Amino acid sequence: MFSQRTHWSQTHNALTLAVAARRAAGLPILDLTATNPTQVDLPLPMDDVALALFQGTTGIYDPQPFGLLEARQAVAAYHQGKVPAEHIVLTASTSEAYGLLFKLLCDPGDRVLVPAPSYPLFEYLAVLESVQPVPYPSRLANGEWHIDLEALRDMLDERTRAILLVSPNNPTGAVVHSEEVLELAQLCQERGMALVCDEVFADTIAAGLYGRMASLAGLTTCLTFVLSGLSKVCLLPQLKLGWMAASGPAELLAQALARLEILADTYLSVATPVQRALPRLLDLRHGIQATLAQRLATNRRVLQAALVGTTATLLPADGGWSAVLRIPRTKSEEEWTLALLEQDGVLVHPGWFFDFATEAWLILSLLPPQPEFAQGVERLAARLADV
Ligand SMILES: Cc1ncc(COP(=O)(O)O)c(C=O)c1O
């Protein structure tokens, strides 16, 4: 009766089961995986957000496939005018933008290259469009992540329709190197593929990065889509507004936009109040990002200090919301994370969750409230000292 693409395994991994058991037993968990910005005690200007939404509720419904012009102009300004408002498409989320792009670019069975390590939703987003996600590796050398371009080239075939990037990456925080972008864009142009860059964490990029490309917005070598949205830019995932900024060779771009217009018109999924509120919400992001930056920096400092003298190494990051720890392979990631949960009441993610090629890594969110984060990190450091 049901589609093959929804034939998911119903079994849960050992960590998920252990979390459920602990919750059922009423035992506390210090959750160092929390990334929901509305649940980590961050002071956000919710009165201003509510007022902007309220003001956006009045007036007529004017269905526009790509969204209201005033909203798209605000997104164009966010991207410093590198992409005009006419080439911005509003969506209900970044995830929905991926769905639209896979529909635009791929037939069933086509392939898209996805980064590894990276965020685990790609598998679902691609498979739900009957597209095959093919992970391409990045490697760590001297504290910097580099895309393995040779391995990536070997994965291309005539059914590969797009290369996806996440920059800064989730969870490594790596910003893509300029020379890698140039090479990927060239490959895409030669082989009729699109380049899709997820820049939801772009506002967290550390200043003064050398040889990196902070944004691909406006790239014209190949058909390019830059994705972002309110989830991460304004810490407002509940408002359900994302976007893509399209660019590329003129003829190809015009064709892509004409097709996207019909695709987007079929759903018209973005609510009007949030579109009307968008210019004001994007104005608010400066204060919101400043609050966020303080939380991220403080938690990273606390983590760094706690790990001194332990067997763990904190990897440097160019941006993003996560911390990556290299830990000894004396235990598997599963054993480490289960021991932390069951004996210390601390929840962290194993590297395999983000498709790390090797063991052993732990991934922490830098978003949790400070007292909870500091307590969790103290217990983590004690366990990592104890090898
Ligand atoms: C890299 C990346 N892209 C997109 C998203 C989701 O964004 P949205 O809420 O707009 O779908 C996330 C969420 O964690 C993410 O890590």
Side-chain angles (χ1 to χ4, degrees):
M1 169 174 269
F2 301 110
S3 67
Q4 272 307 311
R5 61 184 188 279
T6 58
H7 189 64
W8 292 299
S9 155
Q10 304 287 337
T11 55
H12 296 294
N13 65 56
L15 186 60
T16 307
L17 292 173
V19 169
R22 207 174 157 86
R23 292 219 162 103
L27 295 168
I29 296 177
L30 288 168
D31 186 358
L32 303 191
T33 67
T35 52
N36 181 340
T38 67
Q39 292 182 12
V40 288
D41 207 13
L42 274 171
L44 300 176
M46 292 316 290
D47 286 349
D48 294 328
V49 171
L51 181 62
L53 284 172
F54 176 70
Q55 287 170 342
T57 307
T58 56
I60 58 158
Y61 175 43
D62 174 18
Q64 295 290 333
F66 288 173
L68 296 175
L69 185 61
E70 72 209 70
R72 291 186 286 134
Q73 282 168 337
V75 175
Y78 170 81
H79 287 291
Q80 297 160 355
K82 291 178 192 159
V83 175
E86 292 71 27
H87 302 170
I88 306 279
V89 181
L90 301 188
T91 60
S93 64
T94 319
S95 298
E96 191 192 48
Y98 282 115
L100 291 180
L101 287 177
F102 295 157
K103 287 185 192 68
L104 171 72
L105 300 165
C106 304
D107 286 314
D110 281 348
R111 293 149 45 99
V112 292
L113 296 197
V114 302
S118 194
Y119 117 109
L121 208 59
F122 287 133
E123 173 73 27
Y124 290 85
L125 292 170
V127 167
L128 283 173
E129 302 298 338
S130 301
V131 171
Q132 190 191 344
V134 180
Y136 67 85
S138 283
R139 310 219 182 273
L140 187 61
N142 303 321
E144 283 191 357
W145 290 91
H146 287 271
I147 296 171
D148 186 339
L149 290 166
E150 217 174 299
L152 181 148
R153 248 186 250 104
D154 285 345
M155 290 170 178
L156 298 175
D157 66 12
E158 67 289 347
R159 298 210 64 176
T160 312
R161 311 305 312 148
I163 299 176
L164 273 52
L165 286 168
V166 180
S167 178
N169 181 275
N170 176 7
T172 66
V175 173
V176 70
H177 291 259
S178 307
E179 81 266 16
E180 291 169 0
V181 174
L182 296 181
E183 185 137 0
L184 293 177
Q186 193 70 34
L187 264 179
C188 286
Q189 188 244 318
E190 285 164 12
R191 303 183 63 132
M193 301 182 297
L195 195 54
V196 178
C197 191
D198 183 327
E199 299 184 359
V200 295
F201 297 111
D203 291 332
T204 63
I205 296 178
L209 278 181
Y210 177 74
R212 313 302 177 83
M213 201 170 281
S215 175
L216 272 61
L219 196 73
T220 53
T221 317
C222 62
L223 188 59
T224 304
F225 300 94
V226 165
L227 271 44
S228 191
L230 290 185
S231 279
K232 306 294 189 283
V233 169
C234 290
L235 309 190
L236 296 168
Q238 71 276 41
L239 265 47
K240 303 307 297 176
L241 188 139
W243 61 80
M244 49 182 136
S247 58
E251 172 65 16
L252 212 49
L253 178 61
Q255 280 185 40
L257 289 169
R259 287 168 186 246
L260 271 173
E261 187 167 338
I262 297 173
L263 263 171
D265 199 27
T266 306
Y267 297 100
L268 292 169
S269 54
V270 193
T272 298
V274 70
Q275 294 190 51
R276 289 233 172 84
L278 191 59
R280 174 71 183 130
L281 297 175
L282 286 176
D283 277 348
L284 291 172
R285 81 175 186 282
H286 303 288
I288 293 171
Q289 286 289 333
T291 303
L292 171 68
Q294 206 174 17
R295 171 70 59 86
L296 298 175
T298 307
N299 279 348
R300 183 171 273 279
R301 252 196 323 274
V302 166
L303 178 60
Q304 179 89 67
L307 291 177
V308 171
T310 71
T311 53
T313 312
L314 172 62
L315 261 51
D318 306 323
W321 293 7
S322 300
V324 177
L325 305 189
R326 194 203 295 265
I327 54 166
R329 296 169 63 174
T330 46
K331 293 189 187 67
S332 71
E333 285 174 354
E334 183 166 291
E335 288 166 336
W336 276 118
T337 50
L338 283 175
L340 278 160
L341 182 69
E342 288 167 345
Q343 295 169 43
D344 306 317
V346 175
L347 179 61
V348 296
H349 272 136
W352 64 257
F353 186 79
F354 293 91
D355 212 5
F356 277 67
T358 56
E359 294 221 358
W361 309 87
L362 296 180
I363 317 300
L364 278 64
S365 166
L366 293 170
L367 238 50
Q370 273 148 29
E372 189 173 332
F373 187 82
Q375 203 184 350
V377 156
E378 197 181 313
R379 294 188 199 172
L380 174 77
R383 178 147 303 275
L384 287 162
D386 173 33
V387 176

